[in-house]
Amino acid sequence: MSENTTNNTVDTIENTAGNTSQEVVPTAKQNFVQSVKFLLFSISAGLIQIGSFTLLTELTELPYWVRYLTSLVLSILWNFTLNRRYTFKSATNVPIAMLKVFGFYCLFTPPTLFGGQWLVDMFPGKAVVDYLVTGVTMILNFVLEFLFCRFFVYRKEMYTNDLGKAELEKMAQSENAES
C-alpha cells in the first residue's frame, strides 16, 4: 500500500508478512543532490586512489595489481564512510552495509584487477597505460558503485541518521506550512 503524493518523500510499505515500514522515496531534487554528493565524494576518493597509486608507482617496483588493489581499498574506505553519512544519510548497520559493499567489490575487483594487469602487461614500460587503465576502472567503479549503493545497499535505509531525519522533518514542516 503506497500513499505517495508528489511532495511526500515517505511511502508506507506493507510487506508480505503484513508488517509495515517506512521507505523514503527521494524527490527529484533529493536524487539530484545525492548524485552530486556521490560525485564529489567519489572525486575525493579518486584523488586518494590516484595519489596512493602514483606514490606506489613512483616509489616502488610493486606489480600493477598490488598498487591498484592498495589504492582501491583506501578509496573504498573513504568513499563508504562519507557516502553513508552525508549522501544517503543512513544509520544502517555499518557491518552489514560494509559487507554488501564488499560483495560488490568481490564482483568488481577481479575483472578490473586481472584485466588491468593484462592490459598493462601488453605495453610493458609504458607508465601512461598504467594510469589510463586505472582511470577507466575508476570511472566504471563510480557509476556501478553509485547504482549499487543507491538501489541495493541503502534503498530502504536512506534518511535514517540524524541528518536524514532532520531533513525529512524540515520537509514535513514545509509541506504543512504550505497546506
Side-chain angles (χ1 to χ4, degrees):
M1 301 273 194
S2 179
E3 302 167 9
N4 191 14
T5 65
T6 55
N7 295 329
N8 193 358
T9 62
V10 179
D11 272 354
T12 302
I13 308 293
E14 185 172 334
N15 62 24
T16 55
N19 301 326
T20 60
S21 64
Q22 290 190 334
E23 180 180 334
V24 173
V25 179
T27 64
K29 180 182 175 184
Q30 287 172 314
N31 278 324
F32 177 76
V33 170
Q34 273 185 347
S35 300
V36 170
K37 283 182 181 179
F38 195 89
L39 172 66
L40 294 175
F41 290 141
S42 292
I43 289 170
S44 70
L47 292 173
I48 289 169
Q49 184 172 350
I50 202 68
S52 58
F53 181 82
T54 299
L55 284 173
L56 292 170
T57 298
E58 300 301 323
L59 301 177
T60 72
E61 296 292 322
L62 294 169
Y64 171 83
W65 72 268
V66 174
R67 293 177 280 141
Y68 170 73
L69 190 58
T70 302
S71 62
L72 179 65
V73 168
L74 292 173
S75 73
I76 290 168
L77 293 172
W78 174 264
N79 212 21
F80 173 82
T81 303
L82 292 176
N83 280 311
R84 186 181 69 81
R85 171 127 178 100
Y86 298 106
T87 303
F88 300 109
K89 300 178 182 177
S90 179
T92 190
N93 184 308
V94 174
I96 291 173
M98 185 55 100
L99 276 173
K100 289 177 181 178
V101 171
F102 178 74
F104 168 80
Y105 281 101
C106 283
L107 296 174
F108 177 82
T109 304
T112 58
L113 184 76
F114 297 118
Q117 185 66 56
W118 178 76
L119 287 169
V120 167
D121 288 345
M122 287 181 59
F123 303 95
K126 303 221 186 262
V128 70
V129 174
D130 292 20
Y131 292 104
L132 183 62
V133 169
T134 300
V136 169
T137 59
M138 288 170 69
I139 292 167
L140 184 62
N141 182 18
F142 161 71
V143 172
L144 294 176
E145 186 180 7
F146 175 76
L147 294 172
F148 185 81
C149 287
R150 170 64 178 82
F151 295 106
F152 179 69
V153 177
Y154 300 114
R155 181 175 57 107
K156 295 181 180 180
E157 298 290 335
M158 291 185 290
Y159 301 95
T160 56
N161 72 9
D162 56 337
L163 298 173
K165 289 177 183 177
E167 182 177 333
L168 293 177
E169 174 86 18
K170 184 177 175 183
M171 289 179 72
Q173 289 173 354
S174 175
E175 285 177 13
N176 291 338
E178 291 175 7
S179 305

